[in-house]
Amino acid sequence: FGTGAGGFVGATLTEVGDGAVAIGGPMTAWQAWAADGTSAGPQFLPEARAFHAAVALDDMRVLLAGGCSQVVTETRVCAPGSELRTSSILDIASGEITRGPRLLSDRIGGQAYLDVDGSVLVVGGFDAAGVPVASGERLELGADDAVEVPNLAGAASGQMLSGAVVVGLGTGSAPGGEVRTIGAGGSQGVDQLASDARGGATVTATDDGQLLVVGGGAGVGRFRPFAA
C-alpha cells in the first residue's frame, strides 16, 4: 500500500480511537494501524478519493468529503473533471461505505472538523480552477445536502480544545489577515486580525488555549483566538 507510482499522494491520515487510519490517494485502498504499530494490511474500497477532507466520527467511522477521484501521477494533482461533491462514511471494521451529505462546492484539499453536536464543519480547499473556496459547509449526518456557512475563506485552519474552529490564518492576504472563529455548536463567528497571514500553514491547538502555527511564513507563530 502506497508503494505504487502514486504512492500516498492525496491521502489523509486520520486518528481513530487508539490507532490511525490512512485513507485515499490515487489507489482505492485504506489501511489501519493499531497503537502498537501493527496492521491487518490494506483493504480496498469501491471508490477512489484523494485530496479530500477527513475526520473521525467515532472509534470506528471516518467521514470523507470532497476531493477528487483521480490523480495525475506526473504532476500529483487532481485530474481535470474528477472533482467530487460527495461525502462518504467509512466503517474501518467492516470496510462498509455509506453515503453522506452532498457538498455544495468542489473542494480539493479541505479540512473537516467534528462539532460537539455531531455535525461536521468542512472548510478551506480550492475549486477546480484553483480558486480558494470562500465559504464553509456544515454536514448533518442523515441529511441529503450540506448547508453553507458563509465568509469562511482561508487556506489554513485549526480546532481548539474547546471545539471552536479558527479559519483564515492562511488566506495569503497582507499581514493582519482576517480570521473567523466558529464556536462549538455553530455559534456565530467573531472576526479578528491575525498577526500575520500564513498560507499553507499547519495549525495545532495547545493546552494553554493557543494555536501553534508552523510554516507558511517566517518562524513559528502562536495565536490566541478571542472567542475560542
Side-chain angles (χ1 to χ4, degrees):
F1 179 46
T3 59
F8 281 103
V9 173
T12 54
L13 187 65
T14 306
E15 183 177 358
V16 181
D18 294 330
V21 55
I23 304 170
M27 298 165 54
T28 56
W30 64 274
Q31 186 167 350
W33 291 268
D36 61 4
T38 60
S39 172
Q43 300 189 45
F44 292 88
L45 306 175
E47 62 181 11
R49 191 183 296 268
F51 295 108
H52 52 280
V55 66
L57 299 176
D58 51 39
D59 288 350
M60 283 297 163
R61 296 182 303 156
V62 178
L63 182 136
L64 317 174
C68 60
S69 61
Q70 184 178 357
V71 173
V72 180
T73 303
E74 293 77 13
T75 57
R76 300 194 172 193
V77 298
C78 288
S82 69
E83 301 82 13
L84 296 171
R85 289 194 181 187
T86 60
S87 69
S88 299
I89 300 170
L90 168 67
D91 186 313
I92 64 171
S94 66
E96 180 183 358
I97 282 186
T98 56
R99 185 178 301 278
R102 181 174 174 81
L103 274 62
L104 304 176
S105 306
D106 295 332
R107 194 178 296 268
I108 298 169
Q111 300 88 40
Y113 300 98
L114 182 67
D115 205 340
V116 294
D117 63 2
S119 65
V120 173
L121 180 66
V122 183
V123 298
F126 300 84
D127 65 16
V131 177
V133 183
S135 61
E137 302 181 56
R138 186 171 294 278
L139 281 61
E140 300 279 357
L141 302 187
D144 292 331
D145 298 299
V147 176
E148 183 183 19
V149 183
N151 302 321
L152 283 186
S157 59
Q159 188 168 34
M160 304 299 296
L161 299 181
S162 66
V165 176
V166 178
V167 184
L169 291 168
T171 58
S173 59
E178 186 178 272
V179 173
R180 180 173 288 270
T181 301
I182 303 298
S187 58
Q188 186 175 358
V190 177
D191 291 331
Q192 302 177 67
L193 296 180
S195 58
D196 59 352
R198 305 173 70 107
T202 298
V203 184
T204 305
T206 59
D207 291 337
D208 60 1
Q210 297 187 77
L211 289 175
L212 181 66
V213 186
V214 180
V220 176
R222 286 183 177 270
F223 174 65
R224 185 184 297 277
F226 176 75

